[in-house]
Amino acid sequence: MALLIPETLDTLPNAHRRHLAKALRELADDYSVRIPFSIPDVFDLVITKTGGTWLGLAFVETIEEVKDKAKALFSAVKNWSQRCMEATGSSAQLELLIVVLKAKGSEPKDKSWSELRLRIVSKPYFLENTATLLEDSRPLPRAGFDWLFHEFFPEREVPAACTTRTVIERDNSAQLSRFFLDYDQELAAKLDLLKANSDSGDLSVRLINGVAGSGKTLIIVSRILMYCQQHPDHKVLLLIHNKPVTADIRYKINKYWGGEPPNLTIKTFWSWCRGQWDEAFGKGYLKLLFNTDKTVGGYIKDQQGRYGVGKRLTANQIRDEIEFLNDNFISDETAYLDTNRAGRGFALRSEERAELWQLRNEVVAKFGEKSGLLSSLMPNRLCSATATEKLERYDHIIVDEAQFFAPSWFELVKRSLQPSGSLFLCADPNQGFLKSRLSWKSAGINVRGRTKRLHKSYRTTRQILHAANSFLSEFAPELDEDYLKPEYEGMSQGVKPMLLYKQSPQDALEQLVNEVRDLIDNGRPPGQILVLYTTGVYPSTVQQRLETVVAADEIWNFSNKNGDKAPADDKPGFLKIAKLDAATGLEAGVVFILGVDQLFSEYESLDLNEEERTEKRQECARKLYMGMTRAGQRLVLFSTTKLPDALEQCVETKGTPGL
């Protein structure tokens, strides 16, 4: 069966779509049929076949329209042929097949010029002889075929600097320096792009669930560029969970994809949320209090002793519960008593919930003003009727790393869509280490029948992905039903991840510097190196030590105050430094993770009960899984204390941990 992209071939004439699509779909597996999104006014479809066959397919209603269609196409084809010769040194005679939809069956008319071979057939003849007509097409020289693919489908191409993978193009495997989205990735990027939005009142939504390295970011960029080109008058918003990935995507689009389209906005959720607040309530002083703010924590500590539940729970647990209530739009005590708290890490009796609701109301009253506003209240208040009327609206919103968004965030996103707008979500449920425990149903988003799953990773090697997934499934066997099992078939081979035990954090940092020096001395560019760190590691110290082997303007430390901007514009790439929690979406050929032992110390705390310990263990496993899968070819972990057997069994271990 041939590959159709998109599967519905939306540009086919409505009255003839079913029969034409059926005939094309029944072609052999080595055929691909695509709508040329970037050049929509030339061919209706482009058909390619492994081995170099390239055929442009056009449809006209009557035989009288053929002459004008052929004349217009001939002019365009002559231009492409000349440019192909200049670019590749080889000529490319394009094949064009015009199907006359209202003509009766007859033998095809066949004419040839140096630039073009033109055949004209009726619809009945085409339907009866589709395979024969295409088998009669003459393959192009390899260089000409590759050049045409680049010209007609630029949205599929991935700049070599933006990937750690090997070539993945299904029918262009012989290419040297060009990388392309594969069929599943390309199909995901183009889902519903040509369809008119439904008037049924249902939200137009698509969810891409993919394992780490399945190309979700590449899919997002491809979709954005196509959408912005097709709809230059539409407003497009890309929302990202963390600052490092936001900065990295913006940098790559501007450097490798020709710059940000003028109708595109790229922001972290909180930066965008603050902008919507200004739209709704006017600009002015606003102090947002996030979960680490000491003022809120201190107030909760002062108040919790007045409640029985406050004597059992820590201030952090109470604060997390208040955030949970706000994130999930729980509006009153009755609703709270009925709320399912599965996965929260600690149980609460009914009377304890009632007390917590009272304490929550006190905290909201204290920190619900512009002089000090709980961050979890901001999306909530922006969803009020008066605020919604003033929100900036978008035609298309794309959410990256959607597994980290809370229900209140999604509600604000939905209210910021135009009535005919569409929502495109990308997520890796295996990385869901935050506490939202989001279900799409709880977020008010119906993804049933609208989800595409990507099980194949192109970023990393079989050994690294197998190690990460083996550790995740062994160390956190309570994984939920959304867990995606990766497909290992066809993955490139590599070496096992390395776990280096060191006597002290200083020894680990010294070893890191030596490893980076060796990579640089052996020709590895700084842009192919990523250093991740956990709590207790100081990124400024890491950067200072690395500057002894890598120039300062070739290091991008996302934790710096100016970490949202690349250090220089004239560099081909940067060694990147980022906190593990903020590394989702980043990638590099070689990845180092400092302070892995700190992750495990969190769940080993004696202050945790068994339910809390299980929750922390899952969070730790997902974090490390995410960090491990940032690596393309090599992965090195550092620890000063012995790590669990579940991890040691998946990696090669060297050294002795400190005391």
Side-chain angles (χ1 to χ4, degrees), residues 93 208 520 554 580:
Q93 185 191 47
I208 309 300
I520 298 297
E554 292 185 286
L580 179 62

Side-chain angles (χ1 to χ4, degrees), residues 354-366:
E355 289 183 336
L356 267 174
W357 183 256
Q358 289 182 322
L359 182 53
R360 177 261 179 194
N361 288 341
E362 290 182 26
V363 173
V364 168
K366 177 72 175 178

Side-chain angles (χ1 to χ4, degrees), residues 84-368:
C84 181
M85 174 66 77
E86 294 170 359
T88 68
S90 61
S91 61
Q93 185 191 47
L94 287 185
E95 296 236 1
L96 171 61
L97 183 63
I98 297 180
V99 178
V100 185
L101 299 173
K102 293 184 178 178
K104 296 183 178 180
S106 62
E107 291 294 319
K109 296 181 180 180
D110 193 334
K111 294 183 179 181
S112 292
W113 297 267
S114 59
E115 301 91 349
L116 173 67
R117 180 191 180 197
L118 171 64
R119 286 177 289 169
I120 304 168
V121 300
S122 66
K123 176 187 169 184
Y125 188 93
F126 176 78
L127 294 177
E128 293 174 9
N129 302 279
T130 308
T132 302
L133 285 166
L134 297 183
E135 288 293 335
D136 188 43
S137 297
R138 303 161 190 170
L140 292 171
R142 188 71 212 185
F145 183 91
D146 293 348
W147 184 85
L148 285 169
F149 226 108
H150 165 77
E151 284 290 304
F152 273 78
F153 302 100
E155 72 276 0
R156 296 188 64 228
E157 191 160 4
V158 180
C162 298
T163 178
T164 65
R165 61 196 172 136
T166 55
V167 175
I168 60 170
E169 160 61 34
R170 170 183 170 178
D171 51 4
N172 283 344
S173 58
Q175 299 219 32
L176 297 177
S177 60
R178 285 178 174 162
F179 299 84
F180 292 90
L181 300 179
D182 78 348
Y183 168 71
D184 287 320
Q185 294 169 324
E186 183 184 6
L187 188 62
K190 294 177 177 178
L191 285 170
D192 303 332
L193 268 187
L194 295 178
K195 284 186 176 180
N197 291 326
S198 172
D199 295 326
S200 64
D202 291 339
L203 175 66
S204 175
V205 61
R206 283 288 187 174
L207 169 65
I208 309 300
N209 264 346
V211 298
S214 56
K216 296 184 292 296
T217 299
L218 298 175
I219 289 169
I220 284 172
V221 173
S222 177
R223 184 178 185 87
I224 284 173
L225 297 180
M226 283 187 290
Y227 188 94
C228 288
Q229 180 187 34
Q230 289 180 47
H231 306 288
D233 56 332
H234 286 193
K235 295 174 68 173
V236 183
L237 173 67
L238 170 58
L239 290 178
I240 303 173
H241 174 254
N242 60 52
K243 289 182 180 179
V245 179
T246 306
D248 193 49
I249 286 181
R250 177 176 285 117
Y251 169 77
K252 288 178 178 177
I253 288 178
N254 283 298
K255 188 173 183 66
Y256 302 110
W257 273 287
E260 294 179 48
N263 56 333
L264 171 64
T265 299
I266 304 175
K267 287 189 175 182
T268 63
F269 173 80
W270 286 113
S271 173
W272 169 74
C273 191
R274 174 59 194 264
Q276 290 290 60
W277 182 275
D278 291 344
E279 291 286 337
F281 302 113
K283 294 182 179 181
Y285 176 77
L286 175 66
K287 183 180 180 182
L288 268 186
L289 304 174
F290 288 94
N291 215 23
T292 55
D293 187 86
K294 294 181 180 179
T295 306
V296 180
Y299 179 80
I300 292 175
K301 282 184 179 180
D302 291 341
Q303 304 302 318
Q304 67 184 100
R306 298 171 29 252
Y307 296 91
V309 68
K311 298 175 183 178
R312 184 170 72 85
L313 301 183
T314 66
N316 284 338
Q317 288 174 323
I318 294 172
R319 183 162 185 170
D320 285 344
E321 188 71 5
I322 292 172
E323 186 171 282
F324 167 77
L325 294 171
N326 294 337
D327 283 346
N328 287 273
F329 285 111
I330 298 173
S331 57
D332 54 47
E333 183 179 332
T334 301
Y336 185 27
L337 293 174
D338 292 336
T339 296
N340 181 358
R341 296 183 65 262
R344 292 291 301 141
F346 54 91
L348 290 173
R349 299 186 300 274
S350 296
E351 57 271 24
E352 290 179 319
R353 292 199 196 191
E355 289 183 336
L356 267 174
W357 183 256
Q358 289 182 322
L359 182 53
R360 177 261 179 194
N361 288 341
E362 290 182 26
V363 173
V364 168
K366 177 72 175 178
F367 301 105

Side-chain angles (χ1 to χ4, degrees), residues 23 89 97 103 136 147 207-208 210 276 295 305 317 323 352 354 381 383 412 418 460 479 482 492 498 532 610 640 655:
L97 183 63
D136 188 43
W147 184 85
L207 169 65
I208 309 300
Q276 290 290 60
T295 306
Q317 288 174 323
E323 186 171 282
E352 290 179 319
R381 293 189 174 174
C383 291
L412 178 57
Q418 295 284 9
T460 190
L479 294 169
D482 288 330
S492 59
M498 181 75 67
L532 303 177
E610 193 56 37
T640 58

Side-chain angles (χ1 to χ4, degrees), residues 535-644:
T535 302
V537 178
Y538 296 100
S540 57
T541 303
V542 175
Q543 179 173 347
Q544 289 172 4
R545 294 293 294 115
L546 287 174
E547 285 179 359
T548 62
V549 293
V550 178
D553 61 354
E554 292 185 286
I555 297 177
W556 192 348
N557 186 348
F558 290 110
S559 300
N560 282 345
K561 63 179 181 179
N562 296 321
D564 58 343
K565 295 181 180 179
D569 294 330
D570 59 344
K571 300 297 180 182
F574 305 93
L575 183 155
K576 297 183 177 71
I577 301 172
K579 191 170 184 180
L580 179 62
D581 295 44
T584 54
L586 297 178
E587 64 178 10
V590 183
V591 172
F592 299 97
I593 306 180
L594 287 169
V596 175
D597 42 315
Q598 293 299 315
L599 279 179
F600 293 93
S601 66
E602 294 177 10
Y603 97 91
E604 292 171 344
S605 171
L606 297 177
D607 295 331
L608 301 176
N609 61 37
E610 193 56 37
E611 187 175 1
E612 292 168 335
R613 198 178 309 280
T614 298
E615 182 74 13
K616 277 290 184 183
R617 186 173 66 246
Q618 286 192 17
E619 181 180 333
C620 162
R622 291 179 187 269
K623 279 186 182 181
L624 189 55
Y625 162 87
M626 180 275 294
M628 294 173 72
T629 54
R630 302 305 93 200
Q633 294 93 36
R634 285 186 56 190
L635 171 66
V636 182
L637 313 174
F638 292 93
S639 178
T640 58
T641 61
K642 187 182 183 308
L643 299 181

